[in-house]
């Protein structure tokens, strides 16, 4: 792949930040933080595209990771190659071979600036490996365990990059990140089902007498709406549990974390405002709703 094509690929991945429920790297942050956060975001999206992207996206990833074109249809092989690139990233800091993928190379300044370790990056890759083999979750506990890989490493990376990680902050960050993941799962029930996956515990579906056929409908019936309300409330409680993370920090980081928590709260409100019908289309918060929720969270510190 030519350098121009590689750059275009990277920019396309990073452009997805505009569609998140929360600000990824707002301009009020110091430039180094913005660069590092966007690099982490780019990596997280790359992992998703490598495992779950369409064939052209996986073909691009294969080319950039140095794999033959025939591996484009093998997500697990691509994820293994991406894991090897993460190991190059940390070896590069000690003078080894640099990573092959440009979005992994973008992490080099962050690794040099902050005491990052490979584990959070490898956990995100492992989450996508889990996605390749696990398509249903029997219990809420099982789904929360998955979030330990798919969501919580991102919050831990943010705390490490900003030099604010403590055991208590990590605990509260995990609650917030898991909540954000659960909100996204709830918004995207129809999209996930189209890919053959359900991120709603089967025990909850049975509790509310909801079948997979109900989730495949174009609009939600009363049972589905009750189920969605239950999932949304679980996410809201986790957001509230972790929200005091905002009040534990100061300055511009406090603004950023208020944006994360507020974004989750605004998304919860959007789901409620849609009458808990997420099958007609993912309910998204308005810009005004995002700003109000973030400002309220900032003012309260929780």
């Amino acid at each position: 792949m030519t350098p121009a094509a590689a750059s275009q690929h990277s920019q396309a991945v990073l452009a997805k930040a505009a569609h998140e429920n929360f600000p990824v790297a707002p301009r009020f942050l110091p430039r180094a933080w913005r660069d590092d956060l966007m690099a982490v975001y780019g990596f997280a999206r790359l992992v998703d595209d490598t495992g779950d992207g369409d064939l052209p996206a996986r073909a691009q990833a294969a080319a950039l990771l140095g794999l033959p074109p025939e591996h484009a249809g093998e997500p697990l092989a691509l994820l293994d190659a991406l894991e090897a690139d993460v190991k190059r990233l940390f070896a590069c800091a000690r003078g080894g071979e640099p990573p092959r993928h440009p979005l992994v190379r973008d992490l080099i300044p962050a690794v040099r600036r902050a005491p990052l370790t490979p584990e959070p990056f490898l956990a995100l890759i492992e989450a996508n490996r889990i996605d390749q083999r696990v398509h249903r979750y029997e219990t809420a506990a099982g789904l929360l365990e998955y979030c330990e890989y798919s969501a919580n490493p991102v919050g831990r990376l943010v705390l490490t990059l900003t030099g604010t990680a403590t055991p208590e902050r990590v605990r509260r960050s995990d609650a917030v990140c898991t909540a954000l993941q659960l909100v996204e799962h709830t918004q995207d029930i129809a999209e996930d089902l189209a890919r053959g996956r359900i991120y709603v515990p089967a025990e909850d579906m049975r509790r509310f007498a909801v079948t997979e056929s109900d989730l495949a409908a174009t609009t939600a019936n009363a049972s589905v709406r009750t189920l969605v309300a239950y999932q949304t409330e679980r996410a809201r409680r986790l957001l509230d549990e972790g929200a005091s993370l905002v009040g534990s920090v100061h300055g511009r980081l406090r603004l950023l974390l208020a944006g994360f928590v507020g974004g989750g709260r605004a998304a919860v409100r959007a789901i409620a405002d849609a009458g808990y019908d997420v099958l007609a289309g993912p309910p998204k918060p308005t810009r005004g709703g995002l700003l109000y929720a973030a400002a309220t969270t900032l003012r309260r510190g929780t």
Side-chain angles (χ1 to χ4, degrees):
M1 183 177 291
T2 66
S7 176
Q8 185 177 21
H9 168 72
S10 296
Q11 290 304 313
V13 172
L14 294 173
K16 296 176 183 179
H19 304 289
E20 299 292 346
N21 284 328
F22 48 84
V24 173
R27 292 188 178 276
F28 60 74
L29 293 177
R31 177 61 183 269
W33 285 10
R34 294 204 314 270
D35 290 346
D36 291 349
L37 290 171
M38 282 304 297
V40 167
Y41 176 81
F43 176 82
R45 296 306 313 181
L46 171 63
V47 174
D48 285 346
D49 288 348
T50 299
D52 283 339
D54 57 22
L55 191 57
R58 293 205 303 267
Q60 287 180 316
L64 290 166
L65 289 167
L67 293 178
E70 57 265 25
H71 285 294
E74 302 172 7
L76 290 175
L78 290 173
L79 291 167
D80 288 346
L82 187 55
E83 178 174 317
D85 224 30
V86 169
K87 293 177 180 178
R88 290 187 196 96
L89 168 67
F90 284 88
C92 175
R94 301 187 298 272
E97 176 189 354
R100 295 174 182 174
H101 199 289
L103 287 170
V104 182
R105 287 199 299 272
D106 286 347
L107 286 162
I108 292 174
V111 169
R112 289 174 175 166
R113 273 193 288 260
L116 296 172
T117 63
E119 283 72 22
F121 300 99
L122 298 180
L124 292 172
I125 294 172
E126 183 59 25
N128 212 285
R129 288 198 184 100
I130 294 171
D131 281 335
Q132 305 308 312
R133 63 177 186 269
V134 179
H135 301 152
R136 304 288 189 278
Y137 289 86
E138 175 62 25
T139 65
L143 184 59
L144 295 178
E145 182 179 353
Y146 165 73
C147 292
E148 286 282 343
Y149 293 93
S150 67
N152 298 359
V154 176
R156 296 181 180 209
L157 285 167
V158 171
L159 293 176
T160 302
L161 288 170
T162 57
T164 55
T166 66
E168 180 60 17
R169 284 178 180 146
V170 167
R171 185 182 76 79
R172 294 193 181 279
S173 170
D174 285 353
V176 170
C177 289
T178 292
L180 293 174
Q181 179 76 89
L182 294 180
V183 169
E184 184 176 339
H185 285 161
T186 303
Q187 289 172 311
D188 294 341
I189 285 175
E191 179 183 330
D192 290 332
L193 183 61
R195 295 189 298 171
R197 295 177 186 156
I198 297 178
Y199 294 100
V200 177
E203 62 182 6
D204 293 345
M205 292 177 63
R206 290 193 296 271
R207 176 178 180 178
F208 296 104
V210 171
T211 66
E212 290 193 21
S213 296
D214 292 328
L215 297 183
T218 55
T219 59
N221 62 27
S223 295
V224 171
R225 290 171 191 254
T226 305
L227 172 67
V228 169
Y230 186 76
Q231 303 307 311
T232 304
E233 177 61 16
R234 175 180 287 138
R236 187 197 62 75
R237 289 197 305 269
L238 281 168
L239 276 173
D240 288 348
E241 178 185 332
S244 61
L245 174 67
V246 175
S248 76
V249 299
H250 304 282
R252 286 176 281 188
L253 178 59
R254 183 172 171 135
L255 289 172
L256 177 68
L257 297 183
F260 290 167
V261 174
R265 285 172 166 164
V268 165
R269 170 52 57 189
I271 294 171
D273 288 346
Y276 300 103
D277 183 1
V278 298
L279 303 185
K284 296 291 185 180
T286 64
R287 180 174 177 79
L290 286 168
L291 291 174
Y292 177 80
T296 302
T297 301
L298 179 65
R299 184 175 68 253
R300 295 174 178 171
T302 60

